[in-house]
Amino acid sequence: MLGLVSAKTTPNATPLHISFTQNDNHIPKNGNKTPSPLLKRTPSPSSKPKIKPSKKTLQEQRIDESSLDNPDLGPFLLKLAIDTVASGDNQNKALDYATRASISFEKSSGPGLDLAMSLQVEAAIYCSLGRLENAIPVLERSIETLDLKSGSDHAMAKFSGFMQLGDTYSMLGRVDRSISSYEYGLKIQIEALGDLDPRVAESCR
């Protein structure tokens, strides 16, 4: 259980978590197959290769030209982070996108559901990089930014944050803190769904 993807959670919906997949090794990261050697051209002795100056991608230009307090930038950066993880590209780049998305959400909308979701994605990427200690304060912050009085969406996001925190502590071998996080999460889930909901029993397994 690495991180939450959906920012919209209803009482009848099971929280989704992001999963990391890698591309096939024989397919380049740009998605294009390696061209056949028969299609290669042999340059004439007189011709010299032209070196074009590197240009920033459209995405990088958009990020550089935008201020982090722009309310449209947070969702854009968060999508970039998730897409980069899914494509198997540089995970450090995905982490950079997620971190800047969290900063943007905090500046533009303040504490709330969007910021919490972004922080949970950021923490999941930290875990995928093996940086478990870095993930813990990010998850704790995601939990603190949510208010149970704001409705079921906040409650289920807080529940997911505690469960993700429990998983992270478990991977670090901190059993007591892991169990404590699971207990807090379970309590929130029961209050949001009721103790007879089958999803509560599933969480207890």
Side-chain angles (χ1 to χ4, degrees):
M1 194 184 305
L2 290 180
L4 196 60
V5 172
S6 174
K8 299 296 181 183
T9 311
T10 63
N12 297 322
T14 302
L16 300 176
H17 295 80
I18 99 173
S19 60
F20 294 41
T21 58
Q22 299 292 333
N23 290 343
D24 293 336
N25 293 331
H26 64 282
I27 300 178
K29 293 182 179 179
N30 58 11
N32 299 322
K33 295 182 179 179
T34 304
S36 169
L38 297 176
L39 299 180
K40 293 182 179 180
R41 296 181 179 178
T42 303
S44 61
S46 60
S47 63
K48 294 182 180 179
K50 296 181 179 180
I51 301 176
K52 296 181 179 180
S54 60
K55 296 182 179 180
K56 290 186 176 181
T57 65
L58 177 60
Q59 289 179 344
E60 291 173 335
Q61 289 177 3
R62 289 182 61 183
I63 295 172
D64 291 342
E65 294 170 1
S66 302
S67 173
L68 288 176
D69 57 4
N70 184 339
D72 296 327
L73 187 59
F76 171 73
L77 287 167
L78 185 57
K79 183 179 185 303
L80 275 182
I82 295 173
D83 290 346
T84 302
V85 169
S87 69
D89 285 340
N90 190 333
Q91 300 300 293
N92 286 302
K93 182 186 294 184
L95 178 61
D96 178 64
Y97 289 146
T99 301
R100 295 169 73 179
S102 298
I103 296 173
S104 179
F105 280 125
E106 186 168 23
K107 287 188 174 183
S108 61
S109 57
L113 192 60
D114 289 336
L115 175 58
M117 297 299 97
S118 182
L119 289 169
Q120 289 180 18
V121 171
E122 182 183 342
I125 299 173
Y126 270 126
C127 289
S128 74
L129 291 170
R131 298 169 59 181
L132 302 177
E133 292 285 358
N134 295 102
I136 290 177
V138 176
L139 286 170
E140 290 175 340
R141 188 166 161 229
S142 78
I143 293 170
E144 293 171 356
T145 194
L146 293 163
D147 184 2
L148 293 177
K149 298 178 181 179
S150 296
S152 59
D153 285 350
H154 282 246
M156 296 309 296
K158 205 176 188 80
F159 157 74
S160 295
F162 271 117
M163 300 305 283
Q164 189 177 347
L165 184 61
D167 289 345
T168 306
Y169 275 130
S170 177
M171 289 186 286
L172 286 168
R174 302 180 187 177
V175 180
D176 292 342
R177 286 180 176 267
S178 176
I179 294 175
S180 177
S181 298
Y182 289 143
E183 288 177 345
Y184 278 118
L186 181 61
K187 180 180 179 181
I188 292 173
Q189 188 185 41
I190 292 174
E191 291 176 354
L193 302 177
D195 55 3
L196 298 180
D197 192 288
R199 285 167 291 180
V200 174
E202 185 177 346
S203 297
C204 294
R205 293 178 182 177

Short mmCIF file of all heavy atoms in Angstrom, two decimals, residues 84-148:
data_model
loop_
_atom_site.label_atom_id
_atom_site.label_comp_id
_atom_site.label_asym_id
_atom_site.label_seq_id
_atom_site.Cartn_x
_atom_site.Cartn_y
_atom_site.Cartn_z
N THR A 84 5.03 9.97 -14.68
CA THR A 84 6.45 9.61 -14.71
C THR A 84 6.71 8.31 -13.99
O THR A 84 7.48 7.46 -14.44
CB THR A 84 7.30 10.74 -14.08
OG1 THR A 84 7.07 11.97 -14.78
CG2 THR A 84 8.78 10.42 -14.15
N VAL A 85 6.03 8.10 -12.85
CA VAL A 85 6.15 6.84 -12.13
C VAL A 85 5.62 5.69 -12.98
O VAL A 85 6.26 4.64 -13.10
CB VAL A 85 5.37 6.91 -10.79
CG1 VAL A 85 5.27 5.53 -10.17
CG2 VAL A 85 6.06 7.86 -9.83
N ALA A 86 4.47 5.89 -13.59
CA ALA A 86 3.84 4.83 -14.38
C ALA A 86 4.67 4.45 -15.60
O ALA A 86 4.68 3.30 -16.03
CB ALA A 86 2.44 5.26 -14.81
N SER A 87 5.38 5.41 -16.16
CA SER A 87 6.17 5.17 -17.37
C SER A 87 7.50 4.49 -17.07
O SER A 87 8.17 4.02 -17.98
CB SER A 87 6.42 6.48 -18.11
OG SER A 87 7.30 7.32 -17.37
N GLY A 88 7.88 4.46 -15.79
CA GLY A 88 9.15 3.86 -15.42
C GLY A 88 10.34 4.77 -15.64
O GLY A 88 11.49 4.31 -15.62
N ASP A 89 10.09 6.05 -15.89
CA ASP A 89 11.18 7.00 -16.10
C ASP A 89 11.86 7.33 -14.78
O ASP A 89 11.59 6.72 -13.75
CB ASP A 89 10.65 8.28 -16.76
CG ASP A 89 10.33 8.08 -18.23
OD1 ASP A 89 10.87 7.12 -18.81
OD2 ASP A 89 9.56 8.87 -18.79
N ASN A 90 12.74 8.31 -14.81
CA ASN A 90 13.52 8.72 -13.65
C ASN A 90 12.61 9.02 -12.46
O ASN A 90 11.82 9.96 -12.48
CB ASN A 90 14.33 9.97 -14.02
CG ASN A 90 15.35 10.32 -12.95
OD1 ASN A 90 15.18 10.02 -11.78
ND2 ASN A 90 16.43 10.97 -13.37
N GLN A 91 12.74 8.20 -11.41
CA GLN A 91 11.89 8.37 -10.23
C GLN A 91 12.25 9.63 -9.44
O GLN A 91 11.39 10.19 -8.75
CB GLN A 91 12.01 7.14 -9.33
CG GLN A 91 11.58 5.85 -9.99
CD GLN A 91 10.13 5.87 -10.44
OE1 GLN A 91 9.21 5.91 -9.62
NE2 GLN A 91 9.89 5.87 -11.74
N ASN A 92 13.49 10.07 -9.54
CA ASN A 92 13.86 11.31 -8.88
C ASN A 92 13.16 12.50 -9.53
O ASN A 92 12.81 13.47 -8.85
CB ASN A 92 15.38 11.51 -8.93
CG ASN A 92 16.11 10.59 -7.98
OD1 ASN A 92 15.86 10.60 -6.78
ND2 ASN A 92 16.99 9.77 -8.51
N LYS A 93 12.95 12.42 -10.83
CA LYS A 93 12.21 13.47 -11.52
C LYS A 93 10.75 13.45 -11.06
O LYS A 93 10.14 14.50 -10.84
CB LYS A 93 12.28 13.26 -13.04
CG LYS A 93 11.58 14.34 -13.84
CD LYS A 93 11.54 14.01 -15.33
CE LYS A 93 12.94 14.00 -15.92
NZ LYS A 93 12.90 13.77 -17.40
N ALA A 94 10.19 12.24 -10.89
CA ALA A 94 8.82 12.12 -10.39
C ALA A 94 8.71 12.71 -8.99
O ALA A 94 7.72 13.38 -8.66
CB ALA A 94 8.40 10.66 -10.38
N LEU A 95 9.73 12.48 -8.17
CA LEU A 95 9.73 13.03 -6.81
C LEU A 95 9.76 14.54 -6.85
O LEU A 95 9.08 15.21 -6.06
CB LEU A 95 10.93 12.48 -6.04
CG LEU A 95 11.10 13.00 -4.62
CD1 LEU A 95 9.90 12.66 -3.74
CD2 LEU A 95 12.39 12.44 -4.00
N ASP A 96 10.55 15.10 -7.75
CA ASP A 96 10.63 16.56 -7.88
C ASP A 96 9.28 17.14 -8.27
O ASP A 96 8.83 18.14 -7.71
CB ASP A 96 11.68 16.93 -8.92
CG ASP A 96 11.78 18.43 -9.13
OD1 ASP A 96 12.15 19.14 -8.18
OD2 ASP A 96 11.47 18.91 -10.25
N TYR A 97 8.60 16.48 -9.22
CA TYR A 97 7.27 16.95 -9.62
C TYR A 97 6.29 16.90 -8.45
O TYR A 97 5.54 17.86 -8.21
CB TYR A 97 6.72 16.08 -10.76
CG TYR A 97 7.40 16.26 -12.09
CD1 TYR A 97 7.56 15.18 -12.97
CD2 TYR A 97 7.89 17.50 -12.50
CE1 TYR A 97 8.18 15.34 -14.21
CE2 TYR A 97 8.51 17.66 -13.73
CZ TYR A 97 8.65 16.58 -14.58
OH TYR A 97 9.26 16.73 -15.80
N ALA A 98 6.30 15.79 -7.70
CA ALA A 98 5.37 15.63 -6.59
C ALA A 98 5.64 16.63 -5.47
O ALA A 98 4.72 17.19 -4.87
CB ALA A 98 5.45 14.21 -6.05
N THR A 99 6.92 16.87 -5.19
CA THR A 99 7.29 17.82 -4.14
C THR A 99 6.82 19.23 -4.50
O THR A 99 6.26 19.95 -3.66
CB THR A 99 8.81 17.82 -3.92
OG1 THR A 99 9.23 16.50 -3.56
CG2 THR A 99 9.20 18.79 -2.82
N ARG A 100 7.05 19.61 -5.76
CA ARG A 100 6.63 20.95 -6.19
C ARG A 100 5.11 21.05 -6.27
O ARG A 100 4.54 22.12 -6.03
CB ARG A 100 7.27 21.25 -7.54
CG ARG A 100 8.79 21.34 -7.45
CD ARG A 100 9.47 21.36 -8.78
NE ARG A 100 9.29 22.64 -9.46
CZ ARG A 100 9.82 22.92 -10.65
NH1 ARG A 100 10.53 22.01 -11.28
NH2 ARG A 100 9.63 24.11 -11.20
N ALA A 101 4.45 19.94 -6.56
CA ALA A 101 2.98 19.94 -6.55
C ALA A 101 2.47 20.21 -5.14
O ALA A 101 1.53 20.99 -4.95
CB ALA A 101 2.45 18.60 -7.06
N SER A 102 3.09 19.58 -4.16
CA SER A 102 2.67 19.79 -2.77
C SER A 102 2.87 21.24 -2.35
O SER A 102 2.01 21.84 -1.69
CB SER A 102 3.47 18.87 -1.84
OG SER A 102 3.24 17.51 -2.14
N ILE A 103 4.00 21.83 -2.76
CA ILE A 103 4.26 23.23 -2.44
C ILE A 103 3.22 24.12 -3.10
O ILE A 103 2.70 25.08 -2.49
CB ILE A 103 5.67 23.64 -2.91
CG1 ILE A 103 6.72 22.86 -2.13
CG2 ILE A 103 5.89 25.14 -2.73
CD1 ILE A 103 8.14 23.07 -2.63
N SER A 104 2.88 23.81 -4.35
CA SER A 104 1.89 24.60 -5.08
C SER A 104 0.52 24.52 -4.42
O SER A 104 -0.16 25.53 -4.25
CB SER A 104 1.81 24.12 -6.53
OG SER A 104 0.84 24.87 -7.25
N PHE A 105 0.10 23.30 -4.05
CA PHE A 105 -1.20 23.14 -3.38
C PHE A 105 -1.23 23.91 -2.06
O PHE A 105 -2.24 24.54 -1.73
CB PHE A 105 -1.48 21.66 -3.12
CG PHE A 105 -1.99 20.91 -4.31
CD1 PHE A 105 -1.36 19.76 -4.75
CD2 PHE A 105 -3.12 21.34 -4.99
CE1 PHE A 105 -1.83 19.05 -5.85
CE2 PHE A 105 -3.59 20.64 -6.09
CZ PHE A 105 -2.95 19.49 -6.52
N GLU A 106 -0.14 23.87 -1.32
CA GLU A 106 -0.10 24.56 -0.03
C GLU A 106 -0.20 26.07 -0.21
O GLU A 106 -0.86 26.76 0.57
CB GLU A 106 1.18 24.19 0.71
CG GLU A 106 1.23 24.74 2.12
CD GLU A 106 2.35 24.12 2.93
OE1 GLU A 106 3.32 23.64 2.32
OE2 GLU A 106 2.26 24.13 4.17
N LYS A 107 0.47 26.58 -1.26
CA LYS A 107 0.44 28.02 -1.49
C LYS A 107 -0.89 28.50 -2.06
O LYS A 107 -1.36 29.59 -1.73
CB LYS A 107 1.57 28.42 -2.44
CG LYS A 107 2.96 28.38 -1.81
CD LYS A 107 4.00 28.97 -2.75
CE LYS A 107 5.35 29.08 -2.08
NZ LYS A 107 6.35 29.72 -2.98
N SER A 108 -1.49 27.69 -2.94
CA SER A 108 -2.69 28.14 -3.64
C SER A 108 -3.98 27.87 -2.88
O SER A 108 -4.90 28.68 -2.87
CB SER A 108 -2.78 27.48 -5.02
OG SER A 108 -2.86 26.07 -4.90
N SER A 109 -4.05 26.71 -2.22
CA SER A 109 -5.31 26.35 -1.54
C SER A 109 -5.15 26.08 -0.06
O SER A 109 -6.15 25.95 0.66
CB SER A 109 -5.93 25.13 -2.22
OG SER A 109 -5.03 24.03 -2.22
N GLY A 110 -3.92 25.94 0.42
CA GLY A 110 -3.70 25.71 1.84
C GLY A 110 -3.99 24.26 2.22
O GLY A 110 -4.18 23.39 1.38
N PRO A 111 -4.03 23.99 3.54
CA PRO A 111 -4.29 22.63 4.01
C PRO A 111 -5.63 22.12 3.49
O PRO A 111 -6.60 22.86 3.40
CB PRO A 111 -4.31 22.77 5.53
CG PRO A 111 -3.52 24.00 5.81
CD PRO A 111 -3.79 24.93 4.66
N GLY A 112 -5.67 20.85 3.14
CA GLY A 112 -6.91 20.29 2.62
C GLY A 112 -6.67 18.99 1.88
O GLY A 112 -5.58 18.41 1.92
N LEU A 113 -7.69 18.54 1.18
CA LEU A 113 -7.66 17.24 0.53
C LEU A 113 -6.62 17.17 -0.58
O LEU A 113 -5.89 16.19 -0.70
CB LEU A 113 -9.05 16.93 -0.03
CG LEU A 113 -9.31 15.50 -0.50
CD1 LEU A 113 -9.13 14.52 0.64
CD2 LEU A 113 -10.71 15.38 -1.09
N ASP A 114 -6.54 18.22 -1.41
CA ASP A 114 -5.59 18.20 -2.52
C ASP A 114 -4.15 18.09 -2.02
O ASP A 114 -3.35 17.32 -2.55
CB ASP A 114 -5.74 19.46 -3.38
CG ASP A 114 -7.03 19.47 -4.19
OD1 ASP A 114 -7.57 18.37 -4.44
OD2 ASP A 114 -7.50 20.57 -4.54
N LEU A 115 -3.82 18.88 -1.01
CA LEU A 115 -2.47 18.84 -0.45
C LEU A 115 -2.18 17.47 0.15
O LEU A 115 -1.08 16.92 -0.05
CB LEU A 115 -2.31 19.92 0.62
CG LEU A 115 -0.97 19.93 1.37
CD1 LEU A 115 0.20 20.11 0.42
CD2 LEU A 115 -0.97 21.04 2.42
N ALA A 116 -3.16 16.89 0.86
CA ALA A 116 -2.95 15.59 1.48
C ALA A 116 -2.69 14.51 0.43
O ALA A 116 -1.80 13.67 0.59
CB ALA A 116 -4.17 15.22 2.32
N MET A 117 -3.47 14.54 -0.66
CA MET A 117 -3.29 13.55 -1.72
C MET A 117 -1.90 13.69 -2.35
O MET A 117 -1.23 12.70 -2.63
CB MET A 117 -4.35 13.73 -2.80
CG MET A 117 -5.79 13.51 -2.33
SD MET A 117 -6.11 11.85 -1.71
CE MET A 117 -5.94 12.11 0.05
N SER A 118 -1.48 14.92 -2.58
CA SER A 118 -0.17 15.15 -3.18
C SER A 118 0.94 14.67 -2.27
O SER A 118 1.92 14.05 -2.72
CB SER A 118 -0.01 16.65 -3.49
OG SER A 118 1.22 16.90 -4.12
N LEU A 119 0.82 14.92 -0.98
CA LEU A 119 1.83 14.48 -0.02
C LEU A 119 1.90 12.96 0.05
O LEU A 119 2.99 12.39 0.20
CB LEU A 119 1.52 15.06 1.36
CG LEU A 119 1.74 16.57 1.52
CD1 LEU A 119 1.14 17.06 2.83
CD2 LEU A 119 3.23 16.91 1.45
N GLN A 120 0.76 12.29 -0.08
CA GLN A 120 0.77 10.84 -0.03
C GLN A 120 1.43 10.24 -1.27
O GLN A 120 2.11 9.22 -1.19
CB GLN A 120 -0.66 10.31 0.16
CG GLN A 120 -1.19 10.58 1.56
CD GLN A 120 -2.61 10.09 1.77
OE1 GLN A 120 -3.12 9.26 1.03
NE2 GLN A 120 -3.26 10.60 2.81
N VAL A 121 1.23 10.87 -2.42
CA VAL A 121 1.93 10.43 -3.63
C VAL A 121 3.43 10.67 -3.47
O VAL A 121 4.26 9.82 -3.82
CB VAL A 121 1.39 11.17 -4.88
CG1 VAL A 121 2.27 10.89 -6.09
CG2 VAL A 121 -0.05 10.75 -5.16
N GLU A 122 3.78 11.83 -2.93
CA GLU A 122 5.19 12.16 -2.69
C GLU A 122 5.84 11.12 -1.78
O GLU A 122 6.96 10.65 -2.04
CB GLU A 122 5.28 13.55 -2.06
CG GLU A 122 6.69 14.04 -1.80
CD GLU A 122 6.71 15.40 -1.11
OE1 GLU A 122 5.68 16.12 -1.16
OE2 GLU A 122 7.77 15.74 -0.55
N ALA A 123 5.14 10.73 -0.72
CA ALA A 123 5.66 9.73 0.21
C ALA A 123 5.82 8.37 -0.46
O ALA A 123 6.79 7.64 -0.20
CB ALA A 123 4.74 9.62 1.42
N ALA A 124 4.88 8.03 -1.32
CA ALA A 124 4.95 6.75 -2.03
C ALA A 124 6.19 6.68 -2.91
O ALA A 124 6.84 5.64 -3.03
CB ALA A 124 3.69 6.54 -2.86
N ILE A 125 6.53 7.81 -3.55
CA ILE A 125 7.72 7.84 -4.39
C ILE A 125 8.99 7.73 -3.55
O ILE A 125 9.95 7.05 -3.92
CB ILE A 125 7.74 9.12 -5.25
CG1 ILE A 125 6.51 9.16 -6.17
CG2 ILE A 125 9.01 9.17 -6.10
CD1 ILE A 125 6.36 10.46 -6.94
N TYR A 126 8.99 8.38 -2.38
CA TYR A 126 10.12 8.23 -1.47
C TYR A 126 10.33 6.74 -1.13
O TYR A 126 11.46 6.26 -1.12
CB TYR A 126 9.88 9.01 -0.17
CG TYR A 126 10.37 10.44 -0.18
CD1 TYR A 126 9.52 11.50 0.13
CD2 TYR A 126 11.70 10.73 -0.47
CE1 TYR A 126 9.97 12.81 0.13
CE2 TYR A 126 12.16 12.03 -0.47
CZ TYR A 126 11.30 13.07 -0.17
OH TYR A 126 11.76 14.37 -0.17
N CYS A 127 9.23 6.04 -0.86
CA CYS A 127 9.32 4.61 -0.52
C CYS A 127 9.86 3.80 -1.69
O CYS A 127 10.66 2.89 -1.50
CB CYS A 127 7.95 4.09 -0.09
SG CYS A 127 7.37 4.70 1.50
N SER A 128 9.43 4.12 -2.90
CA SER A 128 9.90 3.39 -4.08
C SER A 128 11.39 3.58 -4.30
O SER A 128 12.06 2.74 -4.89
CB SER A 128 9.12 3.83 -5.32
OG SER A 128 9.54 5.10 -5.76
N LEU A 129 11.91 4.71 -3.83
CA LEU A 129 13.35 5.00 -3.94
C LEU A 129 14.14 4.44 -2.76
O LEU A 129 15.35 4.60 -2.70
CB LEU A 129 13.56 6.52 -4.01
CG LEU A 129 13.09 7.22 -5.29
CD1 LEU A 129 13.13 8.73 -5.13
CD2 LEU A 129 13.94 6.80 -6.49
N GLY A 130 13.42 3.79 -1.81
CA GLY A 130 14.08 3.23 -0.64
C GLY A 130 14.36 4.25 0.44
O GLY A 130 15.08 3.95 1.40
N ARG A 131 13.81 5.45 0.30
CA ARG A 131 14.04 6.52 1.28
C ARG A 131 12.88 6.57 2.27
O ARG A 131 12.11 7.52 2.35
CB ARG A 131 14.22 7.85 0.55
CG ARG A 131 15.43 7.85 -0.39
CD ARG A 131 15.46 9.06 -1.31
NE ARG A 131 15.51 10.32 -0.58
CZ ARG A 131 15.53 11.52 -1.16
NH1 ARG A 131 15.52 11.60 -2.48
NH2 ARG A 131 15.57 12.61 -0.43
N LEU A 132 12.75 5.51 3.05
CA LEU A 132 11.60 5.35 3.94
C LEU A 132 11.57 6.41 5.04
O LEU A 132 10.49 6.89 5.41
CB LEU A 132 11.64 3.95 4.57
CG LEU A 132 11.64 2.77 3.58
CD1 LEU A 132 11.74 1.45 4.34
CD2 LEU A 132 10.39 2.79 2.72
N GLU A 133 12.73 6.76 5.55
CA GLU A 133 12.78 7.77 6.62
C GLU A 133 12.24 9.12 6.13
O GLU A 133 11.62 9.86 6.90
CB GLU A 133 14.22 7.93 7.12
CG GLU A 133 14.76 6.72 7.87
CD GLU A 133 14.20 6.60 9.27
OE1 GLU A 133 13.41 7.47 9.67
OE2 GLU A 133 14.56 5.62 9.96
N ASN A 134 12.47 9.44 4.86
CA ASN A 134 11.98 10.70 4.31
C ASN A 134 10.46 10.67 4.13
O ASN A 134 9.81 11.72 4.15
CB ASN A 134 12.64 10.98 2.97
CG ASN A 134 14.13 11.21 3.08
OD1 ASN A 134 14.92 10.32 2.77
ND2 ASN A 134 14.54 12.38 3.54
N ALA A 135 9.91 9.49 3.94
CA ALA A 135 8.47 9.37 3.70
C ALA A 135 7.65 9.63 4.95
O ALA A 135 6.52 10.13 4.87
CB ALA A 135 8.15 7.99 3.14
N ILE A 136 8.21 9.32 6.11
CA ILE A 136 7.43 9.41 7.35
C ILE A 136 6.95 10.83 7.66
O ILE A 136 5.75 11.04 7.89
CB ILE A 136 8.25 8.83 8.53
CG1 ILE A 136 8.35 7.31 8.36
CG2 ILE A 136 7.61 9.18 9.86
CD1 ILE A 136 9.19 6.63 9.41
N PRO A 137 7.82 11.85 7.70
CA PRO A 137 7.31 13.20 8.00
C PRO A 137 6.34 13.71 6.94
O PRO A 137 5.44 14.50 7.26
CB PRO A 137 8.58 14.06 8.04
CG PRO A 137 9.62 13.29 7.30
CD PRO A 137 9.30 11.86 7.53
N VAL A 138 6.50 13.27 5.70
CA VAL A 138 5.58 13.69 4.64
C VAL A 138 4.19 13.09 4.89
O VAL A 138 3.17 13.78 4.76
CB VAL A 138 6.10 13.25 3.25
CG1 VAL A 138 5.10 13.60 2.17
CG2 VAL A 138 7.44 13.91 2.96
N LEU A 139 4.15 11.83 5.30
CA LEU A 139 2.87 11.19 5.60
C LEU A 139 2.23 11.80 6.84
O LEU A 139 1.00 12.01 6.88
CB LEU A 139 3.07 9.68 5.81
CG LEU A 139 3.33 8.87 4.55
CD1 LEU A 139 3.75 7.45 4.90
CD2 LEU A 139 2.08 8.86 3.67
N GLU A 140 3.03 12.09 7.85
CA GLU A 140 2.48 12.71 9.06
C GLU A 140 1.87 14.07 8.73
O GLU A 140 0.82 14.43 9.27
CB GLU A 140 3.59 12.85 10.10
CG GLU A 140 4.04 11.52 10.68
CD GLU A 140 5.22 11.65 11.63
OE1 GLU A 140 5.93 12.68 11.56
OE2 GLU A 140 5.44 10.73 12.43
N ARG A 141 2.52 14.79 7.84
CA ARG A 141 1.99 16.09 7.44
C ARG A 141 0.69 15.95 6.66
O ARG A 141 -0.23 16.75 6.79
CB ARG A 141 3.04 16.81 6.60
CG ARG A 141 2.69 18.26 6.28
CD ARG A 141 3.90 18.98 5.75
NE ARG A 141 3.50 20.19 5.04
CZ ARG A 141 3.92 20.52 3.85
NH1 ARG A 141 4.75 19.73 3.20
NH2 ARG A 141 3.54 21.63 3.28
N SER A 142 0.61 14.91 5.83
CA SER A 142 -0.62 14.68 5.06
C SER A 142 -1.79 14.38 5.98
O SER A 142 -2.93 14.78 5.71
CB SER A 142 -0.43 13.53 4.07
OG SER A 142 -0.52 12.26 4.69
N ILE A 143 -1.51 13.68 7.07
CA ILE A 143 -2.56 13.35 8.03
C ILE A 143 -3.01 14.60 8.79
O ILE A 143 -4.21 14.82 9.01
CB ILE A 143 -2.06 12.27 9.01
CG1 ILE A 143 -1.84 10.94 8.26
CG2 ILE A 143 -3.03 12.09 10.17
CD1 ILE A 143 -1.11 9.89 9.07
N GLU A 144 -2.05 15.43 9.16
CA GLU A 144 -2.36 16.63 9.93
C GLU A 144 -3.15 17.66 9.13
O GLU A 144 -3.91 18.45 9.70
CB GLU A 144 -1.06 17.27 10.43
CG GLU A 144 -0.32 16.43 11.46
CD GLU A 144 1.06 16.99 11.77
OE1 GLU A 144 1.44 17.99 11.11
OE2 GLU A 144 1.75 16.43 12.65
N THR A 145 -2.99 17.65 7.81
CA THR A 145 -3.64 18.67 6.99
C THR A 145 -5.11 18.38 6.74
O THR A 145 -5.82 19.22 6.19
CB THR A 145 -2.90 18.80 5.64
OG1 THR A 145 -3.32 20.00 4.99
CG2 THR A 145 -3.22 17.63 4.73
N LEU A 146 -5.57 17.19 7.18
CA LEU A 146 -6.97 16.80 6.96
C LEU A 146 -7.80 17.02 8.21
O LEU A 146 -7.33 16.85 9.33
CB LEU A 146 -7.03 15.32 6.55
CG LEU A 146 -6.42 15.00 5.19
CD1 LEU A 146 -6.16 13.50 5.05
CD2 LEU A 146 -7.33 15.48 4.06
N ASP A 147 -9.07 17.39 7.99
CA ASP A 147 -9.99 17.67 9.09
C ASP A 147 -11.17 16.72 8.99
O ASP A 147 -11.90 16.72 7.99
CB ASP A 147 -10.48 19.12 9.01
CG ASP A 147 -11.36 19.50 10.19
OD1 ASP A 147 -11.56 18.66 11.08
OD2 ASP A 147 -11.84 20.65 10.21
N LEU A 148 -11.36 15.89 10.01
CA LEU A 148 -12.45 14.91 9.98
C LEU A 148 -13.82 15.57 9.92
O LEU A 148 -14.78 14.97 9.45
CB LEU A 148 -12.37 14.02 11.23
CG LEU A 148 -11.15 13.09 11.33
CD1 LEU A 148 -11.17 12.33 12.64
CD2 LEU A 148 -11.12 12.13 10.15
#
